[in-house]
Amino acid sequence: MTTQQAVKTLKNFINGKWVDAKTDTFEDVYNPATGEVLARVPHSSSEDVADAVAAASAAFKTWQRVSIPKRAKILFKYQQLLVEHQEELGRIVTEENGKSLSEAVAEVGRGIENVEFAAGVPTLMMGDSLTTVATDVEATNYRYPVGVVGGITPFNFPMMVPCWMFPMAVATGNTFVLKPSEKTPLTSQRLVELFQEAGLPDGVLNIVNGSVDVVNGLLDHPDVKAISFVGSERVGEYVYKRGSEHLKRVQALTGAKNHTIVLEDADLDAAVKGIISSSFGSAGERCMATSVLVLQESIADKFMAKFTQAAKDIKIGNGLDKGVFLGPVIRKENQERTLNYIKTGVKEGAKLVLDGSEEAKERDGYFVGPTIFEDVKTDMTIWHDEMFAPVLSVMRAKDLPEAVAIANSSELANGACLFTDSAASIRYFRENIDAGMLGINLGVPAPIAVFPFSGWKHSFFGTLHANGKDSVDFYTHKKVVTARYDQSRFK
Ligand code: NAD
């Protein structure tokens, strides 16, 4: 917390206006590559939440009745504006999150995809009907928005993850209160400004900055009908339980520990490239990052020689600098936590083949170099915990069934990847792995916006996932009308 006045203090966005939060608690927002303070973010109060929910409730009365093609037109305009501002938004993402500019611009592109998908709302929201369910009786299913939706987002994708939520929620006629991560709140500020510029009416999308109190305010408020959450397993479980207790529909996309398997018939050079990007891109702070690599024994030594060299060649630095691949982790605490995990890995008997700790000493920002452990076992902390850092655990298995069994012993089951040239192995993997997003011969199998982001086990709490048709179902109620049309007069 800070009391300094020199940096900009962020405001909340309520009913189309930037307003001061009703709080005297603030937190610094850092550029993790330099340690520079970019802004101060308020820890808003439940009063701020109530103001935003009141604005969203009032706006819902009219927004739900705005014609669906008109809503789609606003989304089309928003898409245009986002494309025009893609580079600018990418820079904001890099400054507040630390990932490289090319990854940040690509992230903005993924967010834009969600807007494009939501702009298809006239067909997505169509109901269905059956002409004859009994003599002269028809049944028709209509979709309606649920009301005010609360969105709670993590630090690691400040553009893409909010875009998993509010574009589809408002396209389907809901109004929205977004609580962005207090660590990366700046991108959302620009996102809402551009949406207003595209013609979104006041009160439809609101932002309340802050942390736990805002989350609890949204979870407890009787006028918030649905909660979309993305973040860690611990907080997601809490949000799911507390939101459900208040009888809201909740979707909580949570932590990950993604296993990637490389078989002896794989193209090893392509696998090295894909896994370097997956494990160390965005400093390992991706819910689809490969954090455990399981190598078939027969190729393990050969693979590791190439892979370790490629990891050593990674360019580390400020994501705004040309050619930089690996930026910092988000905060000093995350850096310290990662360094402790490296010590724990060594203490528990894993073999440290590449140590990124030195990078932490040499730079101002919160850097950790690429780190690789071999001989990792499933009873070790570094295998079990989601470290969310550029630290990779490597294991060996004699064959695919053994490798799949290792992956399936994790409670976290967001994604999993397989590198192979064998169709039979691909089928075995698909049928037997307990994870919701699979990659074949690629490192980051994050589905495009038209498919659900479908984590399993403790990587997701709820029923309907974000994105794809699931998101339309999550943000809409259904009404089925069964109607008799007496035809006797025509006989
Ligand atoms: P986090 O859980 O710390 O924070 C997420 C949100 O919850 C933030 O807005 C934060 O303010 C709020 N929050 C934090 N502590 C809280 C508490 N005690 N009570 C109520 N609210 C609280 O997550 P993070 O560190 O910002 O993000 C990283 C996590 O997000 C990782 O676990 C990652 O795997 C996960 N993630 C998952 C997906 C997915 O699709 N499954 C996508 C992106 C990130």
Side-chain angles (χ1 to χ4, degrees), residues 151-157 160-161 164 179-184 210-216 219 229-236 238-239 252-257 285-288 330 334 386 388 414 437 453-455 459-460 466:
I152 301 152
T153 56
F155 75 81
N156 64 328
F157 281 98
M160 183 183 75
V161 172
W164 286 354
K179 191 215 80 68
S181 167
E182 64 278 28
K183 292 173 185 151
T184 53
S211 176
V212 180
D213 289 346
V214 180
V215 173
N216 288 338
L219 292 173
F229 171 89
V230 178
S232 62
E233 181 195 3
R234 180 183 61 84
V235 181
Y238 165 79
V239 164
L253 288 76
T254 57
K257 194 78 190 175
E285 293 175 328
R286 273 199 293 230
C287 68
M288 294 303 290
I330 190 73
N334 297 61
E386 181 186 36
F388 222 52
N414 222 29
M437 290 172 279
F453 212 85
S454 49
S459 290
F460 176 71

Side-chain angles (χ1 to χ4, degrees), residues 244-273:
S244 304
E245 200 177 296
H246 286 88
L247 305 178
K248 299 180 196 311
R249 47 173 82 182
V250 183
Q251 53 178 192
L253 288 76
T254 57
K257 194 78 190 175
N258 305 312
H259 289 59
T260 289
I261 300 167
V262 182
L263 298 182
E264 60 192 6
D265 57 9
D267 174 340
L268 294 193
D269 292 323
V272 166
K273 206 166 160 230

Side-chain angles (χ1 to χ4, degrees), residues 133-287:
V133 293
T135 306
D136 297 342
V137 177
E138 297 180 4
T140 308
N141 177 23
Y142 296 88
R143 286 177 186 276
Y144 296 90
V146 297
V148 178
V149 179
I152 301 152
T153 56
F155 75 81
N156 64 328
F157 281 98
M159 163 88 192
M160 183 183 75
V161 172
C163 285
W164 286 354
M165 302 176 181
F166 70 77
M168 184 58 82
V170 306
T172 46
N174 302 282
T175 55
F176 205 89
V177 180
L178 173 67
K179 191 215 80 68
S181 167
E182 64 278 28
K183 292 173 185 151
T184 53
L186 300 171
T187 309
S188 294
Q189 305 244 318
R190 199 66 188 111
L191 282 178
V192 71
E193 278 172 358
L194 292 171
F195 215 170
Q196 293 285 120
E197 201 179 318
L200 195 73
D202 293 349
V204 175
L205 175 59
N206 306 275
I207 293 183
V208 182
N209 286 295
S211 176
V212 180
D213 289 346
V214 180
V215 173
N216 288 338
L218 289 170
L219 292 173
D220 297 350
H221 200 300
D223 293 342
V224 175
K225 301 300 178 195
I227 296 282
S228 293
F229 171 89
V230 178
S232 62
E233 181 195 3
R234 180 183 61 84
V235 181
E237 184 180 338
Y238 165 79
V239 164
Y240 182 71
K241 286 180 176 162
R242 188 156 170 168
S244 304
E245 200 177 296
H246 286 88
L247 305 178
K248 299 180 196 311
R249 47 173 82 182
V250 183
Q251 53 178 192
L253 288 76
T254 57
K257 194 78 190 175
N258 305 312
H259 289 59
T260 289
I261 300 167
V262 182
L263 298 182
E264 60 192 6
D265 57 9
D267 174 340
L268 294 193
D269 292 323
V272 166
K273 206 166 160 230
I275 299 162
I276 286 283
S277 162
S278 176
S279 298
F280 304 124
S282 293
E285 293 175 328
R286 273 199 293 230
C287 68

Side-chain angles (χ1 to χ4, degrees), residues 10-47:
L10 302 185
K11 293 179 189 274
N12 293 330
F13 190 74
I14 297 178
N15 206 20
K17 290 179 190 58
W18 291 107
V19 294
D20 288 324
K22 294 169 180 163
T23 181
D24 47 19
T25 310
F26 298 87
E27 176 174 335
D28 289 338
V29 180
Y30 296 93
N31 178 337
T34 59
E36 174 204 357
V37 177
L38 299 171
R40 289 195 322 157
V41 63
H43 278 213
S44 302
S45 60
S46 50
E47 218 181 313

